[in-house]
Amino acid sequence: LKNTAFTFFIVIYVLLTTVIGIFLYLIYLKEIIKTQYFIGYLLSMILLIGNTVSDFGTNTMQMNGNYNFTALVTVIKSTIGAIAGFIAVRAGGYYGLYIMPAVSGMTAILMYRNRSLRGIHLRMNRNLLKEAVWTGFPLMANSLVWTAVASVDKFVILKFLDTEALGLYSVAQLGFAATVLIPQSMSQVFYIKISREYGKLGDKNL
């Protein structure tokens, strides 16, 4: 199951990166976006693979009940990433912003390497994948809709204002994110535990 899920994530990542990369290149040729933003978007897609792998390691550890270790990884990777990002921004300006997620992702991958990421291979069981996608489709559809809805405001700002206004708006959103940090963290832990219990008992009244 772990190999199938990991391979599925990588395949989806490659497909989406290819499609989005071509789209960005086409609008860049039409001079709709500036060069620095085009490069930034490409860097973001490259960094996404590291975050995908590290998140996979985190979710696997949490499903195994190792919440303390994932919390330790989060603290360490955030601290190291923040320090590296601060230095990179001071030295390289705009492109230094991409150092923090890169360093954070690599730190997490190294810490999970001999634990949740150990023994991972690019191998897929089609029948198992089909069953997993079919049973999890409602949740996946809900996540996609929520992501789209949560992104509408940003596209509206870019359409009628500019990237500076979007940056100021994003800073305000950080305040909201901070207020829901603790409840969101608790819900993630409860969700995994409830899922495990439901998987064992099949009791909808849990």
Side-chain angles (χ1 to χ4, degrees):
L1 177 60
K2 187 163 66 172
N3 288 330
T4 298
F6 183 79
T7 304
F8 175 70
F9 291 146
I10 296 300
V11 170
I12 293 298
Y13 166 80
V14 171
L15 292 175
L16 289 177
T17 301
T18 302
V19 173
I20 296 174
I22 293 174
F23 172 74
L24 290 174
Y25 181 68
L26 292 176
I27 63 176
Y28 171 70
L29 291 179
K30 295 182 178 180
E31 300 182 350
I32 297 177
I33 57 176
K34 297 179 181 179
T35 301
Q36 66 174 6
Y37 296 131
F38 173 66
I39 296 175
Y41 292 142
L42 294 181
L43 290 174
S44 297
M45 290 190 295
I46 295 174
L47 293 174
L48 182 61
I49 184 61
N51 291 332
T52 300
V53 175
S54 64
D55 288 345
F56 182 86
T58 299
N59 294 332
T60 302
M61 291 293 291
Q62 289 179 341
M63 285 188 290
N64 293 332
N66 298 315
Y67 304 107
N68 292 336
F69 185 77
T70 57
L72 177 63
V73 171
T74 301
V75 172
I76 292 176
K77 77 173 186 178
S78 299
T79 303
I80 295 177
I83 295 173
F86 177 77
I87 296 173
V89 170
R90 291 289 299 271
Y94 170 76
Y95 294 108
L97 293 171
Y98 298 94
I99 297 299
M100 179 177 177
V103 172
S104 296
M106 287 304 302
T107 301
I109 291 173
L110 289 174
M111 296 185 70
Y112 289 133
R113 182 183 58 180
N114 294 323
R115 290 176 177 261
S116 54
L117 296 179
R118 189 174 185 177
I120 290 290
H121 300 287
L122 292 177
R123 190 165 54 236
M124 185 181 295
N125 184 322
R126 294 185 178 181
N127 293 329
L128 182 61
L129 177 61
K130 182 179 179 180
E131 181 181 359
V133 171
W134 178 253
T135 55
F137 179 78
L139 182 61
M140 181 175 64
N142 179 72
S143 298
L144 291 174
V145 171
W146 170 250
T147 300
V149 171
S151 303
V152 169
D153 52 351
K154 299 178 180 62
F155 287 108
V156 171
I157 292 174
L158 285 176
K159 174 67 175 179
F160 296 100
L161 298 174
D162 52 22
T163 52
E164 182 178 354
L166 178 60
L168 294 174
Y169 177 76
S170 299
V171 171
Q173 283 192 315
L174 291 176
F176 172 76
T179 61
V180 300
L181 179 61
I182 294 179
Q184 188 178 47
S185 300
M186 295 176 64
S187 67
Q188 289 178 348
V189 174
F190 291 147
Y191 176 77
I192 293 175
K193 288 188 174 182
I194 292 174
S195 298
R196 291 180 63 185
E197 291 299 318
Y198 177 75
K200 289 189 296 184
L201 305 176
D203 185 2
K204 295 182 179 180
N205 297 318
L206 280 175

